[in-house]
Amino acid sequence: MTPRTIDNVDALLTPEGVPVHFRVAGVGVRMGAQIVDILVTGIAAAALVIFIATAGLAGPETLMAVASVTFFAIRIPYYIASELAWNGQTLGKRFLKIKVLSNDGGPLSTHALVLRNLMKEAEVFLPGTLVLTLDGERVVPSLLALAWITGTLAVPLLNKRRRRLGDFMAGTYVIHLPEPVLLKDLTEHSAEMAQGNKEFVFLSHHLDHYGAFELQTLEAVLRSSGGADARAPTGQKAANLALITDKIRTKIQYAQAIPPSQELRFLHAFYNAQRGHLEQKQLFGERRADKFHADNASKE
Amino acid sequence: MYDTVLIRSARFRREREAQWLHLEELVSKAEKSGLHRMSFEQARDLAALYRQAATSLAIAREISLDRALLQYLEALTARAYLSVYAPQERIGGVVKRFFTYSAPLALREAWVFVLIGFLCMGLGAMAGYLLYFENAAWYHVFMPPELAGGRGPGSSTGELLDVIYMQDPGGSGLGAFATFLFSHNTRIAIFVFGLGVFLCAPAILLTFYNGLVLGAFYALHVDRGIGWDLAGWLSIHGVTELSAICIACGGGVKLGAAVLFPGPLRRTEALRQAGKGAAKLALVAAFMLIVAALLEGFGRQLVQDLNTRLIIGWGVGVVWLIWIMRAGRGRT
């Protein structure tokens, strides 16, 4: 099931044959990680250059070249080694919780990591250096540089997985690390409550109206309003609950009136019954996506 | 009694929840300290529990409508998948394998492209050489002034010799090393590789042009009868350096050829496969340029004798050749 969000979600087939969905990391967060990495390597290079300068190993006229070489000699192994050691994460990527992933579902290969990080030189550092060093007087090189920079920036924006050229060549893309958060099962809650008295009884015709979408929307509402035995909500929340209860009652033609203090309990009980009902149907091969399931079925 | 109240998917979750939490714990441990630091039991459990979680996810998608559970299982499986299928290579092992096996193999496999690289450079040098003798003014056409360093048909033989046998080897070795790496030829090597992907043409043209420069420059010295002295001056690092450019050109041409002639594959797929070999050629070229920089930065100042320069330069060249031809042959 793909979560219905505006996020850019991509499916990957694991070797076990179970598709897993990942949120593709956007250009912004990747730039953030890049900046962190540049800071880390830049500080290391600066420290080394200062050491070389104070030790008198290089004269002032060559210090600029020495600095460039030091930065270069630090950053190239840094990216490759950190992504190898930390499974596709540099320090910046760890910091922002993003990660490189192999297209084909297999493990990241050394070759892929080397390739995507060497291409980074052409895609990130070459435009960066060009911006810093170009001479405004010379029109043709400036225009070429502009074209190159626009091109490299446009490539990730033009494909769905936000891959840059190096990602294409290496067969990788970058994702947000998923955070597993185990929430309590709502039905356990309702079951505990239903232990004592069966105050709300739902029959089969009550439960034939809604589908999975409505059920999961109700799930979100119930989770946000706390446990069923929580104190009665007030203000806007209470008004919303009253509205939802009313809508559901009308839709399913539930005759019994619900006093405001019982609304939350009613919704929990309804959620429980509805989920049991829909899951039962699903087990027997009838998936009900939403409340239009009857129309869709008759169309087919 | 209690269990019968729960619906099926809640019972499903209740039975497996403890395993999932255990897996979560193992995953965070693997992410923090790496798989190789975990005990045998933990590593084994990680793999086994990962497969169970993947199965749970597949089942839950069929039987459960609890979105929170589905999202949790999805994230957990994804996280565990990432730690189970992490690359299990040591950096030292990667470096060793590259030099003893995969790099020479990639060079031997791409010998046609490397040969094209050398041919471009050689033909360029020949053209530059012959054109110079036809008309010395060609020298100014080919040679960028910043590269010539004031040397040209106008300079006297003495001035030319002064550059070759430095009277005053000023500057430190490290400074010269660094300056070299950012010199003209490194830029050429990067461009011939990177631009090769645009249908080979830029790589071939640039290498040819570099040959032209070399040929014209050499012709100038031959004209003055100091060809051998220049050969020595160039050889000590040039054999390595120019070979690096030719190999980088070979890598670029290989990428371009994959775009031009993808065969039965799609172009992106062909490019991806060619990239495997081409990246190794680029790394070899980069390594050779670093060696050339060392030779230039330290060797050229220390060794002023013509014959020693020739011997060192071509000796290193022979070592490269032996490495490319022989290394990693025994392994299958």
Side-chain angles (χ1 to χ4, degrees), chain A residues 128-140:
Chain A
T129 338
L130 284 178
V131 167
L132 291 179
T133 56
L134 262 188
D135 180 3
E137 305 273 303
R138 296 164 65 192
V139 178
V140 176

Side-chain angles (χ1 to χ4, degrees), chain A residues 16 21 105 110 178 279 282, chain B residues 9 50 62 74 79 81 89:
Chain A
E16 284 73 27
H21 299 90
T110 314
E279 287 178 356
Q282 185 164 310
Chain B
S9 62
Y50 157 66
E62 289 305 312
E74 177 118 35
R79 243 351 220 274
Y81 158 75
E89 268 189 294

